[in-house]
Amino acid sequence: MGEDAIRIRGASFRQGRAIALRGVSLSIETRERVVIVGRNGAGKSTLLKAMAGLLPPSMGEVEWPLHPKGPRVALIWQGIHLVQRLSVLENVLIGALGRCCSPLTWVRVFPEAERVRARSQLARVGIGHLADERAGRLSGGERQRVAIARALMQDADVLLADEPTSSLDWGAARDVARLLSELAASEGFTLVSVVHDLSLVEALGDRVVVLHEGRVAFDGAWEPSRRDSVVRMLAVGSEPSAAAA
Amino acid sequence: MRSVAIERARYRLYAALFALVLGVSLASLWYEGDLSFGRRPLVNLMRTAQELSRPSFVDAWSGDRALVYRSDDGTVLRTEDRRVVERQFLFGLGRAAWATIKIAVLGTALAAIAALPLAVVSARNLRAPAALATAARTAASVLRSIHALVFGLLFVGIVGLGPMAGILAVAAHSTGSLAKLYAEAIEALDEASIEAVRATGASRAQTFFLSVWPSVLPQLTSLNLYVLEFNIRDSAVLGLIGAGGLGLLISEATSLFQWGRLATILIALVLLVAVVDACSRRIRQDLL
């Protein structure tokens, strides 16, 4: 571990009339693997968007000490959002758009070096053979791997994953979670994920942050023995979806 | 949230309003003395049916072959072969059908090109400046509310008689329809997948060309074909006002009381529309 990658100090967020987060303070170090859990409406997605710099706080501040001008983050979205009609390779190349500004990209012409990199990212997430398939034809697990390859393509220091496994069956969910974790270790990026399913916490990280009604209810190392107390903090009783595995 | 009872009461209110409009329309028709089918509707109907039941091409090949022109005292002035005459007519019919296809295809293509920028600007999820969006939506709505036939009358006056007026008329009206349909297709896109591309740091143009455009292209193509089906029918009628195509022959046949020829033209029109509809449906199923 090392310096802080993301530092949040007393941040509050309003979304319309509702207050999504109230005075959250949180520091995440580089190469850390953090899992955020909480009930529906606890503010998990808001927190993730704030870390991505997509949502300025209404009070307090969010900082990226390594890149003061703006974060170098990549997002993996809830529900996997690929461009269905494009090929798998083209979807991965979309991750390179931030640095390829040529109008040639409008007609999907990318530098050869980027195409080579995109293919190697696909190979890294285990679907190199699907590069020329149409993205809409893949299974849920395969599509999530494409989304991960697209995120890797962005050369980010921090990967933010919002419910990366919510649309997958249990087996595929576990595989994707493990893949994310392995990549974080081998590529050396910081991984922050939001999950519903406590059984995936262990695969995705070693630090868990529990959000409850917009506040941090717990922040510490994850140990299986802690599971029960985390469950209690989530007050899962009234929220069956959080307990479903 | 509205309760079911309030929703049902509203439904009944609208039904009552509609019944009122129906009643007033009918009463007004009766009051002005227009609630009439003429003096001998059944006899007229039978006669029209009879006249249309002998299409000219059937007549020419099954009936008397010679068409004899006589003067008042009975001298034969000229004899024509009806089959030769009919063959010429059918050839003309073919050309007119082709002109109708041309008007519809070129008109629709022109409309597709013109409608795209209007739709991109007016689609709510692409967030164009509000003033521009309102202007585009208003323009599309005005174009849509004027029938192609009315545009035809205008364009005949501007560019003269012939298919060009028809093409421009079809294009003008369809631009309005397509702009609305395109914009709705764009608005129905998966917002989050566009957002995901934007969040990679892509520029506005890149987001459009790599996310919006490929996702929406199949729908736009399908809409073009759909509107083309309508335009085949519209451009057949446009001939009535001198814009070329089948309508011109319809107007000739009716003004010369040649009901047999009218029957032939209508058969050709129905066939043309059916073939275009079938092809278009097939292609649309293939694309989506």
Side-chain angles (χ1 to χ4, degrees):
Chain A
M1 304 296 157
E3 305 166 83
D4 285 351
I6 302 173
R7 211 179 285 150
I8 302 175
R9 274 197 296 245
S12 295
F13 294 85
R14 273 171 195 285
Q15 288 200 318
R17 249 186 273 166
I19 297 171
L21 289 177
R22 304 154 192 270
V24 169
S25 293
L26 201 64
S27 293
I28 293 173
E29 291 179 5
T30 52
R31 304 177 69 108
E32 217 176 352
R33 295 179 305 147
V34 182
V35 186
I36 301 171
V37 293
R39 292 169 56 187
N40 286 343
K44 304 179 301 261
S45 295
T46 309
L47 184 57
L48 214 59
K49 277 185 192 154
M51 290 181 179
L54 294 175
L55 203 65
S58 27
M59 264 167 61
E61 49 190 26
V62 181
E63 290 179 335
W64 303 272
L66 299 175
H67 305 281
K69 281 183 188 162
R72 280 180 51 185
V73 300
L75 272 155
I76 292 177
W77 302 67
Q78 190 168 356
I80 316 169
H81 297 291
L82 302 179
V83 184
Q84 312 258 351
R85 285 261 163 184
L86 293 184
S87 76
V88 166
L89 188 70
E90 285 161 343
N91 267 287
V92 177
L93 282 164
I94 283 175
L97 287 177
R99 54 180 179 274
C100 300
C101 309
S102 149
L104 276 176
T105 55
W106 299 358
V107 287
R108 297 176 228 154
V109 175
F110 287 85
E112 188 54 32
E114 297 288 0
R115 302 185 76 88
V116 171
R117 272 199 65 198
R119 278 187 190 276
S120 78
Q121 304 292 20
L122 277 173
R124 191 168 298 168
V125 297
I127 48 167
H129 58 292
L130 296 175
D132 300 315
E133 285 290 317
R134 182 189 282 185
R137 290 213 190 92
L138 304 188
S139 73
E142 288 164 343
R143 269 189 258 177
Q144 192 57 287
R145 282 164 194 268
V146 179
I148 294 171
R150 177 171 74 184
L152 289 177
M153 207 53 190
Q154 285 178 249
D155 275 339
D157 310 321
V158 182
L159 189 70
L160 303 172
D162 191 1
E163 304 266 5
T165 59
S166 61
S167 47
L168 307 180
D169 64 55
W170 189 78
R174 195 194 41 198
D175 291 346
V176 164
R178 280 191 189 147
L179 173 69
L180 275 172
S181 218
E182 283 164 17
L183 286 168
S186 64
E187 306 286 308
F189 56 76
T190 313
L191 176 65
V192 183
S193 16
V194 162
V195 292
H196 244 121
D197 179 355
L198 287 181
S199 67
L200 291 169
V201 172
E202 201 171 347
L204 279 167
D206 23 46
R207 173 177 165 198
V208 61
V209 173
V210 181
L211 282 184
H212 186 74
E213 290 177 357
R215 292 196 170 86
V216 177
F218 173 83
D219 180 0
W222 169 259
E223 276 153 36
S225 59
R226 282 235 170 94
R227 190 187 164 104
D228 287 346
S229 61
V230 168
V231 167
R232 220 170 300 130
M233 269 179 290
L234 288 169
V236 162
S238 56
E239 200 63 49
S241 57
Chain B
M1 281 269 236
R2 271 187 265 157
S3 77
V4 177
I6 295 178
E7 263 173 32
R8 285 188 189 148
R10 266 168 196 270
Y11 192 87
R12 271 185 225 120
L13 179 69
Y14 285 128
L17 272 177
F18 181 62
L20 186 72
V21 172
L22 268 185
V24 168
S25 307
L26 200 62
S28 149
L29 195 69
W30 173 79
Y31 181 75
E32 285 167 24
D34 292 329
L35 191 59
S36 142
F37 293 99
R39 238 175 292 164
R40 296 177 305 166
L42 278 180
V43 176
N44 289 343
L45 177 68
M46 291 310 290
R47 204 180 51 212
T48 307
Q50 201 183 0
E51 280 161 346
L52 283 175
S53 69
R54 287 189 69 82
S56 54
F57 66 96
V58 177
D59 226 21
W61 267 269
S62 66
D64 204 354
R65 185 165 179 169
L67 184 63
V68 184
Y69 293 89
R70 289 172 198 275
S71 66
D72 290 345
D73 59 2
T75 16
V76 174
L77 295 171
R78 192 158 56 101
T79 309
E80 279 181 3
D81 188 335
R82 295 180 69 158
R83 294 185 194 175
V84 174
V85 175
E86 185 65 15
R87 220 172 272 136
Q88 277 167 357
F89 168 70
L90 288 177
F91 184 68
L93 184 65
R95 282 177 57 121
W98 172 234
T100 293
I101 296 174
K102 259 192 309 206
I103 292 171
V105 168
L106 292 174
T108 312
L110 204 58
I113 296 168
L116 191 64
L118 284 180
V120 167
V121 170
S122 55
R124 286 164 222 279
N125 54 347
L126 296 190
R127 300 194 203 103
L132 215 58
T134 311
R137 260 178 243 138
T138 311
S141 152
V142 167
L143 289 173
R144 199 163 56 237
S145 57
I146 299 173
H147 196 278
L149 208 57
V150 180
F151 271 123
L153 288 167
L154 291 175
F155 281 117
V156 164
I158 296 169
V159 301
L161 295 168
M164 201 54 189
I167 293 170
L168 294 177
V170 164
H173 176 73
S174 305
T175 299
S177 316
L178 278 176
K180 183 182 164 75
L181 293 169
Y182 282 3
E184 277 170 7
I186 295 174
E187 281 167 10
L189 282 176
D190 176 14
E191 189 71 22
S193 79
I194 301 172
E195 194 55 43
V197 173
R198 201 177 285 150
T200 62
S203 67
R204 279 179 83 89
Q206 285 174 328
T207 307
F208 179 79
F209 284 111
L210 280 119
S211 155
V212 178
W213 184 244
S215 311
V216 88
L217 192 58
Q219 268 98 315
L220 299 198
T221 314
S222 164
L223 290 171
N224 286 342
L225 287 164
Y226 186 62
V227 167
L228 177 68
E229 290 175 31
F230 282 92
N231 285 345
I232 288 279
R233 288 180 278 261
D234 273 1
S235 53
V237 179
L238 275 171
L240 288 175
I241 51 142
L246 286 173
L248 192 61
L249 295 189
I250 294 177
S251 107
E252 271 173 23
T254 44
S255 47
L256 296 172
F257 307 109
Q258 293 171 323
W259 306 114
R261 284 198 167 172
L262 181 62
T264 307
I265 300 166
L266 291 181
I267 289 172
L269 177 59
V270 169
L271 280 178
L272 178 64
V273 170
V275 168
V276 172
D277 281 10
C279 292
S280 151
R281 198 173 324 126
R282 185 64 202 278
I283 298 170
R284 284 192 284 133
Q285 277 167 359
D286 229 27
L287 282 177
L288 289 178

